[in-house]
Amino acid sequence: MAGQAQIGVTGLAVMGRNLARNFARHGYTVALHNRTPERTHELVEHFGHEGTFVATDTAEEFVQALERPRRLVVMVKAGEATDAVINQFAPLLEPGDMIIDGGNAHFADTRRREASLRERGIHFVGTGISGGEEGALNGPSIMPGGSAESYASLGPILEDISAKAADGAPCCTHVGADGAGHFVKMVHNGIEYADMQLIAEAYDLLRHVAGYEPAQIAAIFREWDEGRLGSYLIEITADVLDHVDAATGRPFVDVVADEAEQKGTGRWTVQIALDLGVPVSGIAEAVFARSVSGHTDLRAVGRSLAGPERTPLSADEARMFAALVEQALYASKVISYTQGFHQMQAAGAEYGWDLDLGSIAAIWRGGCIIRAAFLDRITAAYAKDAALVSLLADEQFAGEVAAAQDAWREVVATAARTGVPAPGFSTALAYYDSLRAERLPAALTQGQRDYFGAHTYRRVDREGVYHTLWAEDRSEQRQS
């Protein structure tokens, strides 16, 4: 029947299929379209009992099946494929209709597409969706951008199918204009990279310094999951470490090649941070750690390099060290979130987005990969002070990190002494110390720049911009 579907999904691979099923399960009539119609009819055949679907074979049929204003969700590969779908459907739409891009698009592409379609009266809603295929089906965290007008029509549907936090609040909010939704999803993924790296370093230290086996470390992580480190990533880490490979009987983590891959959103986070002049060193180190893991030839040569001997710890020493690692992991995690939220704050100012950082923290409390217990407290910190410059300016977070700093320093020092790489822990601590330093050696750096390039400098004792005539000064000093 023409115009009966409240929402439509085109692109029915795993994420698109599960998102369509999620809409249907919540009582919405869902129009379906795919480049190959066979996949459309297969979905209806296998899951038609879950709700009301309208299978269509052509773009024209798909658009005609949608009620106005039309809400068309695109779930295809980011880049050229997304542009191709937009070019296919935009001529068939009318002013007021909306195209919702649920892929991992680069926010700059989203801004370009939004501006182009806005001229034609079509709303383009770049929407970050986190939670993987399970989240898409059972409730993801959803980060839509675009116009306020489009959210008035689309938002209630997205909020309905989103994950719900422990207090029942939907994990979906209107993030901001044009590319804001995809930008926030990008930063989410950058924090995810950092979080995973820190957890991996904690495992590495517990194994190669404390001497624990994977199953023992799994038990430690499950204990941590009951406390302030409670999170989805800690939970699944314990499951991975506890898993035994059926073919060999060895711990699963020992039979997996130690080469971590990446899809690009972490790199984008770092690249854009450089453009914005924002330090996201924790995320950068996580990206570089994955890069190092993939350079197998380089690592093969490096294995012959000299390093320190490791002295096994006693059972009591191992337990004490594990407690130190918990504190270092928590403090470093706070730093990663601090850097990510700072980047969003800077982007809001740069691109004219009115980002509500507390609301963003709130929608990350459920459904998404970085969902964690302490996001409730981040939400509360921004509710208390919406203009909070840094999470470390919040009294509670600052106090916790201060209380953890001795343990944190001991873990970083131990990693260096024993030759266990811990770039995430180390760079997080360096960032913390950079913020608390009375003066940084950047004064010397600026002096060097002025010396070789006449880049000028500012002074602490007077206003203005200065340049020293270094050659003349050298000559005068020699003569004296």
Side-chain angles (χ1 to χ4, degrees):
M1 183 184 298
Q4 69 170 336
Q6 286 100 7
I7 198 157
V9 179
T10 181
L12 300 177
V14 175
M15 284 291 290
R17 179 189 67 197
N18 283 3
L19 200 63
R21 292 172 60 195
N22 191 353
F23 285 125
R25 287 177 172 188
H26 282 81
Y28 298 102
T29 298
V30 186
L32 303 173
H33 174 267
N34 196 71
R35 183 171 55 85
T36 54
E38 292 80 9
R39 181 169 285 178
T40 304
H41 296 285
E42 183 181 84
L43 189 158
V44 175
E45 180 182 352
H46 290 147
F47 304 107
H49 62 281
E50 294 184 338
T52 305
F53 297 102
V54 179
T56 67
D57 292 341
T58 68
E60 290 77 10
E61 290 178 1
F62 181 56
V63 170
Q64 290 169 8
L66 294 168
E67 68 176 24
R68 301 233 32 230
R70 300 180 180 94
R71 308 173 189 92
L72 190 160
V73 180
V74 177
M75 297 297 294
V76 301
K77 187 176 180 180
E80 293 180 0
T82 300
D83 282 322
V85 171
I86 292 170
N87 292 336
Q88 179 184 19
F89 284 100
L92 305 176
L93 299 179
E94 299 174 73
D97 292 346
M98 60 199 76
I99 297 176
I100 303 103
D101 177 14
N104 267 337
H106 194 289
F107 82 99
D109 288 336
T110 301
R111 298 190 83 199
R112 167 179 57 82
R113 292 162 181 153
E114 193 276 339
S116 174
L117 290 172
R118 190 190 330 132
E119 293 179 355
R120 303 162 69 169
I122 298 170
H123 299 283
F124 186 75
V125 185
T127 303
I129 299 175
S130 179
E133 58 185 87
E134 180 181 345
L137 180 61
N138 298 315
S141 175
I142 308 178
M143 297 153 256
S147 67
E149 182 183 351
S150 65
Y151 193 79
S153 171
L154 175 67
I157 300 176
L158 296 183
E159 290 177 13
D160 199 12
I161 69 152
S162 72
K164 305 300 182 291
D167 60 5
C171 293
C172 173
T173 191
H174 181 224
V175 174
D178 53 71
H182 277 142
F183 188 96
V184 167
K185 174 59 177 5
M186 177 193 76
V187 174
H188 165 283
N189 285 19
I191 294 173
E192 176 187 311
Y193 273 56
D195 222 345
M196 293 172 70
Q197 175 64 24
L198 293 170
I199 291 170
E201 290 178 18
Y203 152 75
D204 212 24
L205 288 163
L206 291 174
R207 186 154 196 195
H208 296 115
V209 175
Y212 290 120
E213 291 300 314
Q216 294 174 298
I217 302 172
I220 292 171
F221 273 83
R222 289 202 172 95
E223 182 179 342
W224 290 353
D225 193 42
E226 295 299 316
R228 61 183 179 175
L229 283 170
S231 67
Y232 173 72
L233 284 171
I234 292 287
E235 176 187 340
I236 68 168
T237 297
D239 289 346
V240 171
L241 289 172
D242 225 5
H243 187 60
V244 175
D245 177 57
T248 63
R250 297 170 61 194
F252 171 78
V253 74
D254 286 347
V255 301
V256 177
D258 58 337
E259 302 171 39
E261 299 177 358
Q262 51 187 309
K263 289 187 175 180
T265 45
R267 288 197 302 269
W268 291 349
T269 308
V270 177
Q271 290 164 353
I272 300 306
L274 291 171
D275 292 338
L276 292 170
V278 175
V280 293
S281 50
I283 298 170
E285 286 295 350
V287 172
F288 289 136
R290 294 194 190 191
S291 298
V292 168
S293 75
H295 285 273
T296 53
D297 292 345
L298 189 65
R299 293 174 60 204
V301 172
R303 287 191 183 95
S304 63
L305 296 173
E309 295 292 329
R310 297 174 188 165
T311 303
L313 301 183
S314 68
D316 286 343
E317 289 172 331
R319 282 193 294 272
M320 292 173 61
F321 182 69
L324 298 179
V325 172
E326 187 274 343
Q327 294 190 67
L329 177 56
Y330 181 77
S332 299
K333 181 185 180 78
V334 171
I335 296 299
S336 295
Y337 278 76
T338 296
Q339 293 181 349
F341 276 77
H342 181 203
Q343 182 172 9
M344 290 189 290
Q345 194 173 48
E350 176 70 19
Y351 303 117
W353 299 329
D354 184 18
L355 300 183
D356 184 333
L357 300 183
S359 293
I360 291 169
I363 66 171
W364 287 350
R365 293 180 300 160
C368 69
I369 302 302
I370 65 171
R371 59 187 184 266
F374 90 146
L375 278 160
D376 277 320
R377 290 172 39 230
I378 295 179
T379 302
Y382 282 106
K384 182 179 178 182
D385 181 3
L388 194 67
V389 174
S390 162
L391 286 178
L392 295 176
D394 176 76
E395 183 177 352
Q396 186 174 10
F397 280 115
E400 288 181 328
V401 173
Q405 69 162 319
D406 288 344
W408 192 9
R409 295 181 193 283
E410 181 60 31
V411 168
V412 171
T414 300
R417 284 196 303 267
T418 57
V420 177
F425 285 163
S426 301
T427 196
L429 181 58
Y431 176 85
Y432 176 76
D433 282 337
S434 294
L435 294 186
R436 52 173 292 279
E438 183 68 29
R439 278 181 64 80
L440 293 170
L444 177 58
T445 302
Q446 195 61 19
Q448 293 168 329
R449 295 182 72 244
D450 186 61
Y451 191 111
F452 66 70
H455 291 295
T456 73
Y457 55 87
R458 296 182 184 274
R459 297 176 59 97
V460 298
D461 57 352
R462 68 196 73 160
E463 294 295 325
V465 176
Y466 297 86
H467 167 58
T468 294
L469 300 174
W470 294 97
E472 293 181 14
D473 278 10
R474 286 202 316 275
S475 177
E476 290 176 2
Q477 289 176 11
R478 290 195 190 103
Q479 291 173 9
S480 63

